[in-house]
Amino acid sequence: MLALLASEAKHRQVAATVLTFEPHPLEFLAPQRAPARITKLRDKLTELELCGIDQVVVLRFDQQLASLTPQDFAQKIIRDGLHAQHVLVGDDFRFGAKRAGDYALLDSISHSHGFEVARMNSFEVAGQRVSSSLVREALSRGDMLQARQQLGRPYAISGHVVHGRKLGRELGYRTLNIRFGHPKPAASGIFVANVIGLEAKPLAGVASIGSRPTVDNSGEVLLETHVFDWWGDAYGRVVTIELLHKLRDEVKFPNLQALKDGIAKDCEQARNYWQQFHQELSQRIVTP
């Protein structure tokens, strides 16, 4: 869909633009029913740029925006705000207050506003429709393979490395800490990780994303990654953590020693995963 949008924009010599909202509409309208967050805004913007999008318009979803009728949305946002020439939507597209507008309505009023409308059918992978709902379901189950198939890439989270409580150092497992920024991540638990951005090549590690119930009751979601055999300084740097394989759910340990033992077991399992991965990779290489 984004490739088609970029191609159409190039043909018309205009900017390929994506319109999105922050926060998610349900986070404003009905927080208890809001879906889990798949990604941070910075990751969404990065991926859109990689897909050839020239600019992204992020509208703050508030009561004023939620109250716009479909007709007002088309006029004030699409026509007057974006000055759109061509609008591409998905087959399940809805817009305006109470999701009253659909593709047929937008198409019927587009000509009077000076833009064209096109609709793209669903895209399928392995017989399944690609959707954010399926990605969320896969991540909630820890099915990182299905999430990867739906996304077309490994599931990843990036951000600036921030200072933490330095508890990892005390336990003997230093971590890179990245704030997720939302209380309900789509993925949670302990994962085999691929760390990108520290060295020229990715580094192996083990990552935890969650609220750290053993040592913190604030509810803040943090992505903590222990990088194997790396002792550099990463504070302030932007790194990307790919979550490749889920080891277990997040649990509350009775004390710090139990937490340390749990981390040691996680690291052992993650190293075994990487060893098996490299063995399978070497077996695929055929030498003449």
Side-chain angles (χ1 to χ4, degrees):
M1 185 175 187
L2 295 175
L4 181 59
L5 178 68
S7 176
E8 188 68 33
K10 184 177 181 180
H11 173 71
R12 295 169 181 267
Q13 296 184 330
V14 296
T17 303
V18 166
L19 174 66
T20 187
F21 305 106
E22 185 66 33
H24 187 286
L26 277 179
E27 290 181 11
F28 175 79
L29 296 171
Q32 70 280 4
R33 293 194 293 112
R37 280 286 182 126
I38 296 174
T39 185
K40 299 167 61 179
L41 179 60
R42 71 167 294 120
D43 289 329
K44 180 187 292 187
L45 298 178
T46 298
E47 290 299 324
L48 288 171
E49 182 179 16
L50 292 175
C51 290
I53 299 304
D54 299 310
Q55 62 181 8
V56 180
V57 176
V58 183
L59 292 183
R60 175 169 292 281
F61 197 90
D62 54 17
Q63 189 58 52
Q64 182 179 6
L65 188 61
S67 300
L68 289 179
T69 66
Q71 292 79 3
D72 285 342
F73 187 93
Q75 176 182 330
K76 295 180 180 180
I77 304 299
I78 299 178
R79 187 192 72 179
D80 299 341
L82 297 176
H83 305 291
Q85 294 184 19
H86 181 84
V87 178
L88 179 63
V89 300
D91 56 4
D92 59 348
F93 172 73
R94 309 290 296 193
F95 71 106
K98 298 181 180 180
R99 293 170 50 85
D102 57 10
Y103 168 77
L105 176 59
L106 185 62
D107 185 49
S108 69
I109 63 179
S110 62
H111 299 293
S112 63
H113 291 319
F115 59 83
E116 300 174 0
V117 181
R119 176 172 56 182
M120 183 173 178
N121 293 328
S122 298
F123 183 76
E124 293 187 355
V125 172
Q128 287 189 312
R129 178 179 181 272
V130 174
S131 71
S132 58
S133 296
L134 274 182
V135 174
R136 289 189 183 92
E137 291 173 9
L139 293 176
S140 68
R141 298 193 310 270
D143 189 343
M144 309 313 290
L145 178 59
Q146 185 183 18
R148 180 171 186 158
Q149 291 173 339
Q150 284 275 307
L151 293 168
R153 57 175 173 79
Y155 177 68
I157 299 170
S158 68
H160 287 90
V161 178
V162 300
H163 288 274
R165 297 176 55 183
K166 307 296 191 298
L167 181 61
R169 295 187 181 187
E170 297 178 22
L171 298 176
Y173 299 95
R174 293 179 56 193
T175 59
L176 309 178
N177 303 322
I178 297 175
R179 294 190 178 96
F180 188 73
H182 296 278
K184 193 160 65 171
S188 63
I190 315 302
F191 297 83
V192 177
N194 211 21
V195 184
I196 302 170
L198 294 178
E199 302 288 351
K201 63 179 182 179
L203 302 175
V206 60
S208 168
I209 179 168
S211 58
R212 299 163 295 157
T214 304
V215 298
D216 189 4
N217 59 7
S218 69
E220 180 188 24
V221 175
L222 199 68
L223 173 61
E224 299 176 291
T225 306
H226 174 64
V227 186
F228 299 147
D229 309 317
W230 189 83
W231 298 272
D233 183 358
Y235 292 120
R237 296 172 63 175
V238 175
V239 298
T240 298
I241 311 298
E242 294 180 342
L243 305 183
L244 304 180
H245 173 73
K246 186 169 182 176
L247 297 173
R248 61 174 176 85
D249 290 329
E250 188 178 43
V251 297
K252 183 175 182 178
F253 290 96
N255 52 58
L256 290 182
Q257 183 58 50
L259 173 61
K260 182 177 180 179
D261 294 340
I263 296 174
K265 184 177 180 180
D266 296 334
C267 289
E268 180 183 4
Q269 291 181 338
R271 288 183 182 274
N272 289 339
Y273 174 91
W274 280 113
Q275 184 178 10
Q276 181 180 354
F277 171 79
H278 289 302
Q279 287 176 347
E280 293 177 353
L281 184 63
S282 64
Q283 291 172 359
R284 297 176 193 169
I285 300 175
V286 179
T287 56

